[in-house]
């Protein structure tokens, strides 16, 4: 008898049919989407109103209206609003992904035409408009050297500046630094190129070049460093501010000096975000054309010395090949663009893996 009562009590009470919420079937939303698309096709092409873009826009509007009407009739007004807003959010996601997918597809489809050994092993020296050969070896070398030098100069300065602003800076001086960093963030790249041209190329470099202005890859690296510095400072500052205060207070309570707390606790905690900001600045610097054109001059020959003579870069190579009057130039330009994107992607993944290995939790 006891067993029978226990089993009877353990069963959940049956829910009345009137209290169960009505739901649209799972196939309702896809069926409405297909129906809306068919109606949009019939209206647009039947009345000769436009093309595929209008079909998509009109189909989306009809789908949202039909979804709201169906959900309102079956589930109620509140659920209908939820479904419509969910559909709008998913549509925004698709709209955000479409340009990225289009860029990737265009780069891959057009950039694989010259993925060969000649492209990566030769330069454009002595290559005419009717020559199908020629590559971007000199531009790849220039990009690696210029971005590498700019990173070596900018990253320590930017990280130290951010540490000062967050950990030590107080009063008007720190506010002034933060203000000028914000101003530098919006400086056009060509302005930085003109600054380095006027200061380094025309004033400083003649002292080391027998009185003649010296275009070089190092000058381009300085211009790129000016562009990178505000991004590194701002991103590092924001990441350092996100480090919880109890971590610092715990280290201070154990008698750890402030400089060692910053080095051993604060920086490892904020390292993933700092690396992300550094990689964003590197990606921006690698894609700049105007500063390299102004202060490095470009060039068709291979130049391993960043301190002497003209030097090219991948971004400048793409710009030059896109404007060349040769049927072989567009293929070189697309392949160079794909190479630049892959190079930045590889550097980003490597930096992320390195930052993950050096996190405080490990």
């Amino acid at each position: 008898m006891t067993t029978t009562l226990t089993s009877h009590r353990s069963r959940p009470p049956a829910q009345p049919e009137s209290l169960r919420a009505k739901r649209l079937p799972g196939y309702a939303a896809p069926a409405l989407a297909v129906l809306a698309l068919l109606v949009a096709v019939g209206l647009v092409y039947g009345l000769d109103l436009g093309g595929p873009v209008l079909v998509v826009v009109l189909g989306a509007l009809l789908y949202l209206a039909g979804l709201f009407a169906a959900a309102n009739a079956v589930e109620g007004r509140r659920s209908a609003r939820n479904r419509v807003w969910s559909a709008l959010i998913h549509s925004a996601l698709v709209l955000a992904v479409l340009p990225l997918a289009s860029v990737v597809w265009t780069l891959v489809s057009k950039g694989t035409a010259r993925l060969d050994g000649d492209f990566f092993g030769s330069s454009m020296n002595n290559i005419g408009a009717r020559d199908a050969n020629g590559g971007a070896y000199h531009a790849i070398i220039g990009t690696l050297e210029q971005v590498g030098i700019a990173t070596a100069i900018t990253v320590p300065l930017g990280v130290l500046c951010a540490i000062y602003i967050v950990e030590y800076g107080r009063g008007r001086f720190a506010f002034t630094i933060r203000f000028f960093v914000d101003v530098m963030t919006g400086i056009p790249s060509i302005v930085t190129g003109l600054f380095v041209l006027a200061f380094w190329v025309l004033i400083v470099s003649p002292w080391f070049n027998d009185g003649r202005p010296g275009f070089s890859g190092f000058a381009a690296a300085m211009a790129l460093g000016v562009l990178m510095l505000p991004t590194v400072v701002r991103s590092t500052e924001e990441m350092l501010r996100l480090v919880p205060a109890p971590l610092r207070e715990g280290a201070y309570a154990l008698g750890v000096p402030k400089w060692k707390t910053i080095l051993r606790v604060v920086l490892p905690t904020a390292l993933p975000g700092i690396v992300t900001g550094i990689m964003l600045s590197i990606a921006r610097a690698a894609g700049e054309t105007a500063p390299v054109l102004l202060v490095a001059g470009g060039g068709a020959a291979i130049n391993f010395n960043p301190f002497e003579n003209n030097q090219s870069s991948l971004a400048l190579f793409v710009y030059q090949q896109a404007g060349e009057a040769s049927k072989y130039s567009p293929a070189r330009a697309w392949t160079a663009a794909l190479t630049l994107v892959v190079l930045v992607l590889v550097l980003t993944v490597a930096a992320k893996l390195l930052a993950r290995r050096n996190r405080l939790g490990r």
Side-chain angles (χ1 to χ4, degrees):
M1 183 66 178
T2 306
T3 306
T4 305
L5 290 176
T6 304
S7 62
H8 177 72
R9 290 175 181 175
S10 62
R11 296 174 184 175
Q15 190 175 14
E17 188 69 25
S18 59
L19 296 180
R20 295 179 183 176
K22 296 181 179 180
R23 302 285 296 176
L24 284 175
Y27 60 84
L32 286 173
V34 173
L35 180 61
L37 187 61
L38 293 177
V39 172
V41 170
L43 290 175
V44 171
Y45 288 102
L47 301 177
D48 196 17
L49 298 177
V53 176
L54 184 59
V55 169
V56 174
V57 174
L58 183 59
L61 294 177
L62 291 175
Y63 168 71
L64 291 176
L67 182 64
F68 180 81
N72 188 35
V74 176
E75 302 175 349
R77 191 175 186 85
R78 182 176 182 180
S79 181
R81 290 177 180 175
N82 180 64
R83 284 185 175 271
V84 170
W85 280 107
S86 298
L88 288 174
I89 291 172
H90 287 90
S91 301
L93 172 64
V94 173
L95 290 177
V97 171
L98 278 178
L100 176 61
S102 177
V103 170
V104 172
W105 171 254
T106 304
L107 278 176
V108 173
S109 60
K110 295 187 177 182
T112 54
R114 283 298 312 276
L115 284 177
D116 50 43
D118 180 69
F119 182 83
F120 294 102
S122 63
S123 67
M124 292 298 297
N125 199 24
N126 298 324
I127 299 295
R130 297 184 180 181
D131 295 328
N133 296 325
Y137 181 68
H138 63 298
I140 296 173
I141 294 298
T143 296
L144 293 176
E145 290 184 352
Q146 293 163 19
V147 175
I149 294 173
T151 303
I153 296 174
T154 304
V155 170
L157 290 177
V159 172
L160 291 175
C161 181
I163 290 174
Y164 172 78
I165 293 175
V166 176
E167 303 292 340
Y168 296 97
R170 297 292 183 273
R172 185 172 298 178
F173 184 65
F175 174 79
T176 304
I177 294 177
R178 191 178 298 110
F179 172 76
F180 280 106
V181 168
D182 292 337
V183 171
M184 288 177 62
T185 305
I187 292 179
S189 59
I190 195 169
V191 175
T192 63
L194 289 173
F195 168 74
V196 175
L197 176 67
F199 171 70
W200 180 265
V201 176
L202 299 180
I203 297 178
V204 178
S205 64
W207 296 352
F208 310 97
N209 199 28
D210 297 330
R212 294 174 299 166
F215 295 88
S216 63
F218 180 73
M222 293 180 62
L224 297 179
V226 174
L227 291 174
M228 293 172 60
L229 185 60
T231 304
V232 175
V233 174
R234 290 298 293 165
S235 60
T236 305
E237 178 187 354
E238 294 302 324
M239 292 303 105
L240 293 179
R241 292 187 186 280
L242 291 177
V243 177
L247 289 178
R248 298 181 176 88
E249 295 170 356
Y252 298 153
L254 294 174
V256 181
K258 187 171 186 177
W259 68 269
K260 188 172 288 187
T261 301
I262 296 172
L263 185 63
R264 297 294 181 87
V265 177
V266 177
L267 285 179
T269 305
L271 187 60
I274 295 174
V275 170
T276 300
I278 292 172
M279 295 313 302
L280 288 175
S281 64
I282 290 176
R284 181 190 178 186
E288 290 293 343
T289 303
V292 181
L293 181 62
L294 284 174
V295 300
I302 300 172
N303 180 17
F304 289 98
N305 187 356
F307 299 99
E308 291 183 2
N309 300 325
N310 292 10
Q311 197 175 55
S312 185
S313 68
L314 279 171
L316 182 56
F317 180 82
V318 172
Y319 170 75
Q320 291 173 338
Q321 291 300 310
E324 288 287 335
S326 172
K327 65 178 182 180
Y328 304 108
S329 297
R332 300 191 195 107
W334 282 111
T335 305
L338 178 61
T339 303
L340 181 59
V341 172
V342 171
L343 181 63
V344 173
L345 177 63
V346 170
L347 291 176
T348 302
V349 172
K352 284 290 186 180
L353 293 177
L354 181 63
R356 184 180 300 177
R357 289 176 58 89
N358 289 276
R359 291 184 65 179
L360 182 63
R362 294 183 180 271

